[in-house]
Amino acid sequence: MELGHLKVGGQKIIRIATHAKYGIDLDCYIATPATWATLKLIRTGSAAHNVKLCSLAKQKGMKLHADGSGLFRLTDCAGTESRIAGNTEESIFEALGLRYVEPIYRQ
C-alpha cells in the first residue's frame, strides 16, 4: 500500500497527501519537549475551541502561539513577550483561568 507523497515539508510540519482513493491528508507535527504540550492542546481541539482560547488569551493581555512555543504575556507596548505557560496543557488552562478539558471533550 502506498501512503502518499510529501505535500509540504519543513521544520515544524510534514504534510503527506494520501492516495487519491482515500482523500485524506496526513499532518505530522514535529515537536520538541518544549513545544509538545502546546501543540497537543492546539491540534486536539476544534477550530472553535482554539479561537476561544486565543480570544481569551488576548482579552487577558496574553498570546497563545500556534507554533507550540506556549502562552505568553505581553509585557510592554513594544510587544515584548514573556512565556508564562506551556510545559503542560494544564498550565495553559490554569493561566487562562479555565478548568482543564480533556482532548476528547474540546469542542
Side-chain angles (χ1 to χ4, degrees):
M1 178 173 99
E2 181 182 324
L3 178 62
H5 66 278
L6 182 64
K7 198 171 179 182
V8 176
Q11 293 181 339
K12 297 181 182 182
I13 183 173
I14 297 170
R15 178 166 291 147
I16 299 170
T18 62
H19 192 278
K21 97 176 179 185
Y22 301 112
I24 299 171
D25 287 346
L26 173 66
D27 289 346
C28 298
Y29 289 88
I30 301 164
T32 65
T35 63
W36 169 253
T38 306
L39 281 174
K40 181 181 171 197
L41 171 64
I42 291 168
R43 301 302 167 201
T44 58
S46 67
H49 185 261
N50 290 336
V51 168
K52 175 185 169 187
L53 293 178
C54 290
S55 295
L56 181 58
K58 187 174 182 178
Q59 290 171 11
K60 294 178 175 254
M62 303 175 196
K63 184 174 182 183
L64 181 59
H65 286 269
D67 68 359
S69 58
L71 179 67
F72 290 77
R73 180 170 304 286
L74 303 176
T75 57
D76 59 31
C77 295
T80 305
E81 299 177 341
S82 174
R83 188 173 192 260
I84 59 170
N87 290 337
T88 65
E89 292 179 298
E90 292 87 350
S91 70
I92 295 171
F93 279 90
E94 184 179 334
L96 292 173
L98 301 171
R99 71 175 175 76
Y100 177 70
V101 178
E102 294 286 339
I104 195 167
Y105 300 113
R106 296 176 188 163
Q107 298 180 9

